[in-house]
Amino acid sequence: MNRVATPGYLRFPHVHSDLLAFVAEDDVWLAPADGGRAWRLTSDGGQASHPRFSPDGATIAWTSWRDGGIPEVYTAGTDGGAATRRTYWGDMRTRVTGWTRHDEVLSISAVGQPSAQRTTAYAVPLGAPPRRLPFGQVNDLALTTSATVLLTA
């Protein structure tokens, strides 16, 4: 199999207005959407994936393995600053999927489920505990003001 690029570069892109977020070298990077020099948002030695901009573009949420090798939800401002860990689930299926219109991170996880295959959706507020959403088992989730998209197995 011929690869166009190594797995470490330009993965999980997400665009908000004139800014692009992506993962390269296991860190979250930002760059102008119309081209230009990128800058590293994270540099914590852990694997990162699925960066997603908040609705106003001021905050990025992503999945990180930096603390103990288990994925959790993290956030940081797009202007830099320290990352904040938002979940403490200890579940290998945890993944950021987006944001709600109320500035809560959308995530899926199998935390508290009898099987790791039964992931459910959570809203993770920036200043309160996560809450389980009433969608049942989902593998992916996107919410907009005009629609809800659930992907199930």
Side-chain angles (χ1 to χ4, degrees):
M1 176 163 116
N2 293 330
R3 292 185 183 240
V4 174
T6 63
Y9 285 92
L10 307 178
R11 296 175 293 146
F12 311 109
H14 192 243
V15 177
H16 182 277
S17 187
D18 61 347
L19 204 54
L20 168 69
F22 61 93
V23 171
E25 299 176 348
D26 284 334
D27 286 313
V28 177
W29 292 70
L30 300 174
D34 60 353
R37 187 179 187 124
W39 63 95
R40 192 183 306 253
L41 182 68
T42 67
S43 180
D44 53 26
Q47 179 183 349
S49 71
H50 299 88
R52 297 292 181 259
F53 285 102
S54 62
D56 65 3
T59 307
I60 298 245
W62 70 95
T63 309
S64 178
W65 285 254
R66 80 181 217 179
D67 294 324
I70 303 290
E72 298 290 354
V73 174
Y74 288 79
T75 61
T78 55
D79 57 357
T84 302
R85 183 174 174 175
R86 300 295 177 178
T87 62
Y88 293 83
W89 291 330
D91 175 58
M92 290 302 293
R93 300 286 306 258
T94 297
R95 181 171 49 87
V96 169
T97 65
W99 288 79
T100 71
R101 66 178 180 214
H102 303 295
D103 287 330
E104 301 167 306
V105 180
L106 284 174
S107 179
I108 61 166
S109 179
V111 65
Q113 295 298 310
S115 166
Q117 302 305 314
R118 294 185 175 201
T119 54
T120 55
Y122 289 85
V124 182
L126 298 186
R131 74 177 188 289
R132 189 171 166 180
L133 297 175
F135 300 126
Q137 183 177 348
V138 300
N139 291 328
D140 210 346
L141 171 68
L143 298 175
T144 67
T145 55
S146 60
T148 298
V149 178
L150 300 172
L151 299 176
T152 61

